[in-house]
Amino acid sequence: MSRPTVRGQRPGWWQDAVIYQVYPRSFADGDGDGVGDLAGLLDRLPYIASLGVDGIWMTPFQPSPQVDQGYDVSDYCAVDPLFGTMEQFDQVLEAAHALGLRIFLDVVPNHCSSEHPLFQAAVAADSGSPERAMFHFENGVDDDTPPNNWQSVFGGRAWSRVNPGSDTDKEWYLHLFSPEQPDWNWRNPAVGDYFEGVLRFWFDKGVDGLRIDVAHALFKADGLPDTASTDGVVNGLRSNPQVSDQDEVHEVYRRWRRVADSYSPTRVLVGEVNLEPHRAARYTRHDEMHQAFAFAFVKLGWDAAAWAAVGTELEAARKEHGAPLTWALENHDIVRSVTRFGGGERGTLRARAGLLAILGLPGGAYIYQGQELNLPEAEVPLHARADPMWTRAGVSRDGARVPLPWTVAAENTYGFSPAGAADPWLPVPAAWGSRSVQMQLDDPASTLQLVTEALRVRRELIEKEILSPDDATTWHVQDNGLLLCERGDRFLLAVAMGEEPCALPQGSVVLASSPLTDAGLLPADSAVWLLREESRT
Ligand code: TEU
């Protein structure tokens, strides 16, 4: 398949690529059932291309009972009719490539759906059978006490009885997420072989890369020992060394890298590795994944000292292991940054500034759909919440997952659905039209225009070799709350994180998230890119 060479075949193109995350069920609804789908995405691909991104990461659209919005996969190599057909996926892939956009898919190797045929076969088989060995089936301490004390990320214990009423089958199965998401047993080589087949299926089709869900969790400590603490449901996966980040998992990614590199052009692996920077960086060693999301800023507020400390730590981790960083401030699991940074007018300004900041840092970046519109977290009424984390742990991620507003007018869910469609799967807040794509295309001061301009300028600076994904960074904080990141020799990022406007260091302004004051100061809650003269000593 021929592709335009926008950034095309440049070796290592992913190292500073910007990828747009599409959450298909909320992107665009083509068939009018109130759920976004492949037809809707196909129709709106030119919009994504017009932003100037390098590609798209699509969260799961494979067959699934949708208990966890597709992260409970019952068939890894097909398309759920909710989203369309394989023919439509092929059309998306071809159209995206024709527009110069790469396509990354999500692969979920830690767990599948309890309706996956291999789990169904395991349930039907006896204890000790090869079918059960594909998953973690164990006897409990007694009928009511599971094999160990692990807690599920989604709340409650991480084990369920396979046959709760049975006197003969006393086994429990492990699920780090909901009971409908049994964990694969990666100590069984058959699981590794199965997933190599999944990778090859999509790579053979021409898919350019894979985002790997909970990539650090695949292997659990041998013997499944108790954890020291059971508190912090969500933290369980990160802070309990028994549950994830086992050395054996790196062999999986070495194998996957060999598979990826056997294709031309090489396919790209990006991991969701939710670990502290030095542990996460180990997943991007030269023969493992190409990228792992740097989420560390997500856990911080609007705090210059904290950003500088984390920026410095990420830089040290990157240097130790070699691969450029991959920045992300939002995704479908995280409260929108407008809201995280305080909401209202200040949150709105800060989210714009935060996005400009990560786009100015060396390495790759991911933009979550709606981030380019600076959408805040939506207030989703209790009765409409669909996230399994809400029912099990009282945490709802729905507010970051509402359908995108395309038009100013409220009809057809702000243009998300065609005329006469069913209600959207999550309600869209009133007045969402003022944040719509249509509104922002007409407003030169909109975040949509800022992002498009930032991506254009970024590409130009990369092409002129002023910016490189390998640039070293040095972070500083001034007393007035101005965060500075010196990147390479000539580029400087400044973010005003204090209460007052800040004087800028020397350099010419390339792009700013808010207009400078009449006195040339950077207003509070704003970011700027500066370029210095080449001859600077
Ligand atoms: O997320 C992994 C994960 O650890 C999250 O569940 C996170 O802890 C949680 O969202 C709290 O912020 C991935 C997917 O991105 C997520 O949508 C899935 O629910 C999860 O895996 C299970 O597949």
Side-chain angles (χ1 to χ4, degrees), residues 68 71 111 154 177 211 213-214 272 332-333 397 401:
D68 187 19
Y71 281 94
H111 48 268
F154 284 174
F177 294 89
R211 175 267 192 189
D213 190 58
V214 277
E272 187 205 23
H332 63 290
D333 295 335
R397 299 171 294 180
R401 299 175 175 181

Side-chain angles (χ1 to χ4, degrees), residues 15-30:
Q15 295 188 341
D16 50 23
V18 179
I19 306 286
Y20 183 86
Q21 179 192 348
V22 169
Y23 192 71
R25 58 164 53 236
S26 297
F27 186 70
D29 171 20

Side-chain angles (χ1 to χ4, degrees), residues 8 15 19 33 47 51 65 89 101 140 148 159 180 218 223 253 263 292 307 332 359 425 430 439 473 489 491 493 531:
Q15 295 188 341
I19 306 286
D33 65 355
Y47 165 75
L51 298 172
F89 173 74
L101 295 170
N148 70 23
W159 295 91
E180 295 84 1
L218 276 45
Y253 301 122
Y263 286 82
W307 280 55
H332 63 290
L359 293 176
W425 75 281
M439 185 73 138
T473 54
D489 297 332
F491 187 91
L493 165 72
L531 262 194

Side-chain angles (χ1 to χ4, degrees), residues 158-195:
W159 295 91
S160 293
R161 279 282 298 273
V162 54
N163 267 317
S166 170
D167 287 335
T168 48
D169 186 354
K170 305 261 187 187
E171 288 197 333
W172 302 62
Y173 68 93
L174 178 68
H175 51 85
L176 291 186
F177 294 89
S178 75
E180 295 84 1
Q181 294 166 293
D183 280 41
W184 293 100
N185 173 16
W186 277 86
R187 293 191 184 277
N188 181 346
V191 171
D193 294 344
Y194 174 78
F195 273 94

